[in-house]
């Protein structure tokens, strides 16, 4: 249930996802690949691949002798990302519809699993980590990113819009405690059998040309799961409240920048000799 409505929102958003002129998923994805130290000829699984923020840098890193499998539960994400890989002539890329919680691949299939900004969306992120350990070869690597710090105004703007939800609308589930701190995330990764665990942070500044640009961006990613539940007759007031909170004293036509920090956890698969 939780995953279904989230996946529906991403499926609706897929056309615009990461395509509205905002630095966000692209730089985070490229950094995840860099910190995972992806090498030529490696076999990599990218779960929750979206529009390829992780997948395309990974495809460059593994080169023609490697292979990258992107899996996403949203069929439109898969269609668009697969088409983009074909347009770029990336024969080392396959994109499939697949579950990030239970990737359906034989044990030991991959040298690297990447999970960029997806595990906190899953009903059982601990089960997902155990599944990644299973599909990695001994000595393989896992690289996972989660949110660390978001601009406080962003959270306030989301809450201002959520105040317009009907009483019977679903509310976002309480995040699993494993996302509360770097230590908790590392402990969860260790609990799934991984070793050699590091956790580092990385920040990106996103710029919005005006309040409408910010709102367009909100519809293009996971915030859509909230916005799509607000009845059409309440949406103008809800989005006006969100923009007012986000812009504060600035004029709606003024530019705004927002800093977001992620955690990148890199770990060695069970049986790792590194
Ligand atoms: C925030 S986006 C991240 C996409 C990409 N990794 C990136 O960094 O831009 C989350 C992605 O996970 C996908 N997703 C959500 N739940 C999923 C699940 N259970 N299995 C597979 N993909 C899922 C969504 O469709 C979406 O494409």
């Amino acid at each position: 249930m939780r995953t279904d409505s989230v996946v529906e929102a991403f499926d609706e958003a897929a056309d615009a996802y990461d395509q509205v002129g905002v630095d966000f998923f692209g730089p985070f994805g490229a950094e995840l690949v860099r910190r995972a130290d992806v090498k030529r000829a490696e076999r990599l699984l990218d779960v929750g691949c979206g529009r390829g923020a992780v997948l395309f840098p990974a495809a460059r890193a593994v080169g023609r002798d490697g292979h990258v499998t992107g899996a996403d539960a949203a069929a439109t994400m898969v269609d668009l990302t697969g088409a983009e890989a074909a347009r770029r002539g990336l024969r080392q890329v396959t994109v499939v519809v697949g579950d990030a919680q239970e990737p359906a691949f034989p044990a030991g299939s991959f040298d690297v699993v990447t999970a960029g900004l997806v595990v906190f969306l899953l009903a059982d992120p601990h089960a997902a980590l155990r599944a990644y350990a299973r599909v990695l070869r001994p000595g393989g690597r896992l690289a996972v990113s989660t949110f660390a710090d978001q601009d406080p105004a962003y959270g306030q703007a989301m809450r201002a819009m959520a105040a317009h939800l009907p009483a019977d609308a679903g509310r976002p589930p309480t995040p699993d405690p494993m996302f509360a701190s770097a230590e908790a995330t590392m402990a969860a990764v260790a609990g799934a059998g991984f070793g050699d665990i590091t956790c580092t942070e990385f920040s990106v500044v996103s710029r919005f040309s005006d309040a409408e640009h910010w709102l367009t961006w909100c519809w293009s990613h996971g915030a859509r799961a909230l916005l799509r539940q607000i009845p059409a007759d309440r949406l103008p007031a809800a989005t006006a409240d969100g923009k007012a909170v986000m812009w504060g004293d600035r004029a709606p036509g003024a530019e705004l920048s927002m800093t977001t920090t992620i955690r990148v956890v890199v770990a060695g698969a069970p049986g790792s000799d590194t």
Side-chain angles (χ1 to χ4, degrees):
M1 179 67 187
R2 167 191 191 163
T3 299
D4 285 354
S5 62
V6 168
V7 171
E8 276 173 24
F10 277 110
D11 202 62
E12 289 174 7
D15 201 37
Y17 182 89
D18 208 13
Q19 316 289 314
V20 296
V22 175
D23 274 344
F24 195 84
F25 297 104
F28 285 137
E31 191 63 17
L32 184 68
V33 171
R34 199 182 71 73
R35 295 192 188 191
D37 193 23
V38 178
K39 299 179 182 65
R40 295 200 83 70
E42 286 193 311
R43 299 158 301 159
L44 182 146
L45 172 65
D46 180 38
V47 294
C49 65
R51 294 293 302 272
V54 177
L55 179 141
F56 289 117
R60 253 194 312 279
V62 303
R64 291 286 166 125
D65 296 332
H67 195 268
V68 172
T69 304
D72 200 288
T76 311
M77 290 285 192
V78 171
D79 290 347
L80 292 169
T81 304
E84 178 61 18
R87 194 189 67 76
R88 295 188 193 191
L90 296 173
R91 291 195 303 275
Q92 71 271 40
V93 171
T94 307
V95 189
V96 296
V97 173
D99 189 358
Q101 186 166 304
E102 292 179 46
F105 299 95
S109 302
F110 299 101
D111 302 300
V112 184
V113 171
T114 50
L117 300 177
V118 63
V119 284
F120 46 79
L121 298 172
L122 306 177
D124 188 346
H126 299 272
L129 293 172
R130 291 193 296 273
Y132 305 155
R134 185 185 67 79
V135 299
L136 279 166
R137 66 159 171 85
R141 302 180 312 288
L142 172 68
V144 174
S145 59
T146 65
F147 288 110
D149 283 314
Q150 288 183 289
D151 188 316
Y154 180 75
Q156 287 161 16
M158 289 298 125
R159 285 191 287 282
M161 295 197 288
H164 293 265
L165 286 170
D168 61 352
R171 296 301 195 268
T174 309
D176 188 284
M178 73 169 267
F179 301 113
S181 66
E183 292 72 24
T185 307
M186 292 170 78
V189 171
F194 290 90
D196 295 326
I197 304 167
T198 61
C199 180
T200 51
E201 292 192 346
F202 178 66
S203 298
V204 167
V205 178
S206 308
R207 293 189 168 77
F208 304 96
S209 52
D210 56 28
E212 274 313 306
H213 187 207
W214 175 78
L215 185 60
T216 299
W217 177 74
C218 289
W219 279 104
S220 74
H221 60 76
R224 190 182 187 102
L226 162 69
L227 290 167
R228 71 200 286 273
Q229 289 195 83
I230 300 174
D233 61 336
R234 298 191 201 172
L235 210 42
T239 54
D241 283 356
K243 288 186 282 190
V245 170
M246 201 66 208
W247 255 251
D249 294 337
R250 295 177 193 82
E255 285 187 18
L256 177 105
S257 64
M258 180 185 89
T259 302
T260 308
T261 303
I262 61 165
R263 292 187 189 107
V264 177
V265 175
V266 177
S272 169
D273 49 8
T274 55

